[in-house]
Amino acid sequence: MPTPTWNRLPAAKRDAVLAAAEAEFGERGFSGASLNTICRKAEISKGSLFQYFTDKADMYAHLAELASIRIRSAMETEVARLPVRTDFFGALDELIGAWVGYFYDHPRDRALTAATNLEHDAPARAAVRATVNRHYLEVLTPLVDLAHDSGQLRPDTDRDALIALLLLLLPHLALAPHVQGLDPVLGLEEGERKTAIDQGRRMLRLVVAPLRQEQSPSTD
C-alpha cells in the first residue's frame, strides 16, 4: 500500500501517477508494464515513484484495491435498491445485468479487472487476487447468507461452494465479452451488451436455480 509520502502529495500529482499507472497496467498487465513509462507519463522520476510505493507489486495491488472499491460501490448501490430479502433470485437476475453492464461503461475498471484476472506472474496474481477477492466476498457472503436465513435457499445449500462458484463466474462474465478466447460457446465475445447480459443470466440461473427453496403448497 502507498507510503505516507504518497498521502502527502498534492491531489493533482497523485491523480497523474494513478492515471499513468492504470493505463500502463491495464494495457500490459503486471509483467509487461513499464515503470519507466509510468514515470514519463506522470512526469516524475523513478526515485520519486519508489518513495510512494515499496515496489511495482505494491503499486499494482493499490490499483487493484482502488478499482475494487469503485466496482463494489456501484454494485452495493444496486443491491440496496433490489428486493434481496423477499426475492433473492429475481434480485440476483437484476444484479447480473448491472454487473455485466458496468464493464461496458467503465473501460478503465474493465482493463484493470482483466489485468488482475489474466496475470500470469504467480506472485503478482496472488497479491492482487487477495485484494480483489476480499471485496467480492464482503459483498457476496452477506447476500447468500440473507437468502439462506430468509428461507429462499434450500436448507441443505452449501453456501461456501455457492460463493466459490460465484467468485469464478463473475469475473468471466465481466471479461468474456471484451477479451477474445474466453468464451467459445455462448457468443459472448461478439461483444453485444444484451447478448452478454442474457447469457450471463442464463449461466447464473444454471448455478442457483437448483438451490431455490420450494414453497409449501397452501392448505387454505
Side-chain angles (χ1 to χ4, degrees):
M1 291 295 106
T3 67
T5 302
W6 169 260
N7 295 323
R8 291 194 294 268
L9 282 178
K13 177 60 71 175
R14 289 200 304 270
D15 289 345
V17 174
L18 289 175
E22 287 173 340
E24 182 69 4
F25 282 113
E27 180 178 354
R28 302 182 186 280
F30 175 81
S31 302
S34 166
L35 295 183
N36 289 328
T37 299
I38 293 170
C39 291
R40 184 177 69 253
K41 290 183 176 180
E43 299 182 344
I44 61 170
S45 69
K46 188 178 285 189
S48 294
L49 187 63
F50 287 122
Q51 292 180 22
Y52 309 149
F53 299 93
T54 304
D55 53 24
K56 184 179 181 182
D58 189 40
M59 171 178 265
Y60 191 44
H62 182 57
L63 296 179
E65 172 76 7
L66 294 179
S68 296
I69 290 171
R70 291 191 295 266
I71 297 166
R72 175 176 177 171
S73 177
M75 293 304 106
E76 287 182 328
T77 297
E78 291 296 322
V79 169
R81 71 174 187 81
L82 294 172
V84 180
R85 187 174 297 277
T86 57
D87 184 12
F88 171 74
F89 294 91
L92 207 55
D93 229 40
E94 289 295 315
L95 188 59
I96 208 67
W99 172 261
V100 173
Y102 182 90
F103 293 95
Y104 276 86
D105 298 330
H106 298 83
R108 173 180 59 162
D109 290 338
R110 182 177 72 229
L112 289 169
T113 298
T116 297
N117 283 272
L118 304 178
E119 174 55 50
H120 59 80
D121 181 272
R125 183 177 62 248
V128 294
R129 287 304 310 176
T131 296
V132 170
N133 285 343
R134 175 172 58 83
H135 289 282
Y136 275 104
L137 294 176
E138 288 177 358
V139 174
L140 290 173
T141 301
L143 287 179
V144 171
D145 286 347
L146 177 60
H148 181 271
D149 296 344
S150 61
Q152 298 180 74
L153 289 175
R154 282 173 26 199
D156 62 346
T157 296
D158 187 333
R159 284 178 279 180
D160 288 344
L162 174 57
I163 293 166
L165 284 171
L166 293 174
L167 198 59
L168 287 171
L169 181 59
L170 290 174
H172 179 80
L173 296 180
L175 298 177
H178 312 284
V179 179
Q180 288 189 339
L182 294 185
D183 166 52
V185 178
L186 297 178
L188 295 179
E189 62 184 23
E190 295 175 2
E192 294 184 6
R193 180 191 295 247
K194 184 179 185 304
T195 297
I197 291 174
D198 288 347
Q199 298 295 14
R201 287 172 171 160
R202 176 184 173 188
M203 282 189 275
L204 183 69
R205 289 166 188 161
L206 184 66
V207 172
V208 300
L211 305 176
R212 185 191 292 268
Q213 172 66 16
E214 297 298 332
Q215 299 299 312
S216 300
S218 174
T219 58
D220 294 341

